Amino acid sequence: MNMNNLQSQNHRPHPSTANVQQPTISTEITTTRITASQFMRRLFGFLFFSHLILIAALVIFLAAQGLRSGVRHHHFRPAEWYYPLLASTGCAAILSLLWQWITACSPSKAFKAAFWLAPLSTCAVAVLLLTIGSSADLAAGVAALLCSLSMSLYGCWVSPRFEYAIRVLTVSAASPPAKATSLIILSMLISTLYSCLLVIGIGGARARANLDALFISIILLSLAWTMQVIRNTLLATFTRVKYMYLVSGIDVKTSMAFRDTLKHSMGSICIGSFLVPILGLMWGSARAMKLVEGDIDEFLFSCANCYAGCASTLVMYGNRWGFVHVGVYNKGFMQASMDVWDTFRRMGLEELIDSDLTGSFCFLSGMAVGGICSLVSGIWALAVRKSYATELSLYAFFISYFMGRIAMAWQQACLTAYYVAYAENPQSSQFDNTIPARIHQLQRLGA
């Protein structure tokens, strides 16, 4: 058996895509790794679905206790607390779907608008918080203002890359997967209902005024993980459909890809949904430190190179590109991430991937939706009960941001699959000159 045949067997498509058998010869080390990987996938899948049951029980308990406490002490006004937050949640679903439609119709306008709306809406939230006037509001307002300023400076810094980013987004998402819109709408409906359920739990914890910070923190962590799992399930599904078309011209049905993802890959998706935000935050902070450091040799930045090296190593084991191989080959998430990253590195595409703005565009799109919905909730609360304005603004932003990211899943999936498919077969007739021209430009600038 030659090496090419062995590689083709190791990188086999999903069971429903091709009936290729796994290699029968394996070493003891390989068997151990596979067993450990399967164990971790089953463990995280079990933890995720178990935590949903526990969160539902916690919400019921908090709602019942909060109702009793509110009636007895009259310190919590449900109508003035729930209505603004539930309204902003519904607004988030509508805005997210609208933004996804605008991106599909006009990627260029949506891309540029995201880099303007995100800092502007965040700045407006900062002004709202500063208007309230308490010390906690002042701290939150200053933080939001600094965040707005950072996004504005970042937009100015990366503006020369806009032309290529818009071009590759347009090319990769030109043919969306069939029934993608229906699946996005279903996901948004589930996300909205789940968010409303957790809002009831947060309100119940708020009414109890006993260990409320602990319960609210648990609920928000559950919300973040669940929203990431929903988004990454869509990401794995759509990347499989797009990848198979680009690599072999096979049209995989979106419904079949989604069913197979739910059946075979949820453990890997749960792991990835837990790891990617943490490692992404480390990678982003390392890049920010390197930018601030420049050529200045100060003690504050003496460990910047070491931290950046650690972040670069860790991101190999957990990155969003790995969801392509999770969806297509049903690999464990960490193995999928390493395989994709090795392919990028072998093809010399690290600089191209590092300069990609798709992740920033989707992130800022979520920030824009979050900022607008935060204003809806905050202004409403400010009009009816000023003491609720800050917390409702922050909760609305948190919920709306994740809903905005879910709505953008298929655009991000198409571009992610486009890059991975190109790295694995750059000579395919499915690709035009967009990526080669960008690589040549980067080489010319670096010369």
Side-chain angles (χ1 to χ4, degrees):
M1 180 183 293
N2 58 34
M3 291 301 297
N4 291 332
N5 290 335
L6 181 60
Q7 290 177 355
S8 64
Q9 286 180 331
N10 287 334
H11 289 78
R12 68 183 184 91
H14 200 279
S16 296
T17 304
N19 296 321
V20 181
Q21 298 298 321
Q22 287 279 17
T24 57
I25 300 176
S26 60
T27 64
E28 183 178 354
I29 296 177
T30 303
T31 303
T32 304
R33 287 178 179 172
I34 292 174
T35 303
S37 174
Q38 290 175 345
F39 172 76
M40 291 301 297
R41 293 162 71 175
R42 291 174 182 174
L43 175 62
F44 269 82
F46 173 78
L47 289 176
F48 176 74
F49 290 107
S50 298
H51 114 276
L52 291 179
I53 298 174
L54 294 175
I55 283 294
L58 177 62
V59 167
I60 294 173
F61 169 76
L62 291 175
Q65 291 292 315
L67 182 62
R68 244 185 263 133
S69 299
V71 171
R72 184 167 58 248
H73 299 294
H74 301 287
H75 68 279
F76 180 71
R77 300 178 182 272
E80 297 174 356
W81 196 94
Y82 281 117
Y83 288 166
L85 193 51
L86 292 175
S88 67
T89 301
C91 181
I94 296 172
L95 280 179
S96 299
L97 291 174
L98 179 62
W99 187 259
Q100 190 263 354
W101 176 77
I102 293 173
T103 304
C105 295
S106 181
S108 176
K109 293 180 180 179
F111 193 94
K112 295 176 182 177
F115 281 84
W116 281 101
L117 281 177
L120 286 176
S121 60
T122 307
C123 182
V125 172
V127 172
L128 174 66
L129 294 174
L130 293 173
T131 302
I132 299 174
S134 68
S135 57
D137 300 321
L138 180 62
V142 170
L145 194 60
L146 291 176
C147 184
S148 174
L149 180 60
S150 300
M151 287 188 288
S152 299
L153 294 176
Y154 176 75
C156 295
W157 179 53
V158 300
S159 58
R161 305 186 213 164
F162 280 7
E163 182 179 355
Y164 165 74
I166 293 170
R167 170 63 181 168
V168 74
L169 178 63
T170 304
V171 170
S172 63
S175 301
K179 298 183 179 179
T181 302
S182 300
L183 194 53
I184 289 289
I185 293 175
L186 175 62
S187 300
M188 292 301 300
L189 178 60
I190 294 173
S191 303
T192 303
L193 294 176
Y194 185 73
S195 299
C196 292
L197 174 67
L198 295 193
V199 164
I200 294 173
I202 295 174
R206 179 72 167 74
R208 289 179 80 249
N210 183 21
L211 296 178
D212 57 326
L214 174 63
F215 290 130
I216 291 173
S217 299
I218 293 173
I219 290 174
L220 292 179
L221 288 174
S222 171
L223 175 68
W225 193 18
T226 305
M227 291 296 202
Q228 288 283 2
V229 168
I230 294 174
R231 184 177 74 92
N232 292 330
T233 300
L234 295 177
L235 198 64
T237 299
F238 294 142
T239 52
R240 179 185 170 196
V241 176
K242 192 70 175 181
Y243 176 94
M244 294 304 299
Y245 177 76
L246 292 171
V247 169
S248 56
I250 298 176
D251 289 320
V252 179
K253 292 183 178 180
T254 304
S255 58
M256 184 186 71
F258 181 61
R259 183 175 63 249
D260 288 341
T261 299
L262 294 178
K263 184 178 180 180
H264 300 289
S265 304
M266 287 307 298
S268 295
I269 290 172
C270 292
I271 294 174
S273 300
F274 179 80
L275 287 179
V276 169
I278 298 173
L279 299 181
L281 180 62
M282 292 181 61
W283 175 240
S285 61
R287 294 184 64 185
M289 288 177 64
K290 292 293 292 182
L291 288 173
V292 175
E293 177 192 14
D295 297 325
I296 301 176
D297 185 14
E298 297 182 8
F299 175 76
L300 180 62
F301 304 110
S302 60
C303 296
N305 289 330
C306 180
Y307 181 69
C310 293
S312 299
T313 302
L314 289 175
V315 80
M316 292 174 55
Y317 298 95
N319 53 75
R320 60 187 172 90
W321 310 98
F323 287 109
V324 178
H325 279 198
V326 169
V328 176
Y329 300 113
N330 190 28
K331 292 182 179 179
F333 178 73
M334 296 179 67
Q335 185 62 53
S337 299
M338 288 189 289
D339 289 347
V340 173
W341 204 259
D342 285 342
T343 303
F344 287 152
R345 185 166 51 189
R346 186 172 63 252
M347 297 299 295
L349 299 178
E350 301 102 313
E351 187 177 2
L352 176 68
I353 298 303
D354 187 48
S355 63
D356 175 64
L357 292 180
T358 310
S360 299
F361 166 60
C362 294
F363 171 76
L364 293 175
S365 296
M367 294 285 280
V369 173
I372 295 172
C373 294
S374 180
L375 289 173
V376 171
S377 183
I379 293 174
W380 188 335
L382 191 64
V384 297
R385 193 169 184 85
K386 187 176 181 180
S387 60
Y388 291 162
T390 300
E391 60 176 315
L392 294 184
S393 298
L394 296 179
Y395 294 151
F397 183 89
F398 193 74
I399 293 171
S400 304
Y401 164 78
F402 284 110
M403 295 182 70
R405 296 300 305 271
I406 290 173
M408 296 297 296
W410 80 258
Q411 281 95 345
Q412 188 169 13
C414 287
L415 195 137
T416 302
Y418 190 83
Y419 272 118
V420 175
Y422 178 85
E424 295 180 351
N425 186 15
Q427 305 302 324
S428 173
S429 59
Q430 298 287 346
F431 303 105
D432 59 9
N433 195 44
T434 301
I435 293 180
R438 177 60 177 173
I439 295 174
H440 179 70
Q441 183 183 25
L442 291 173
Q443 292 173 344
R444 189 174 68 251
L445 294 174

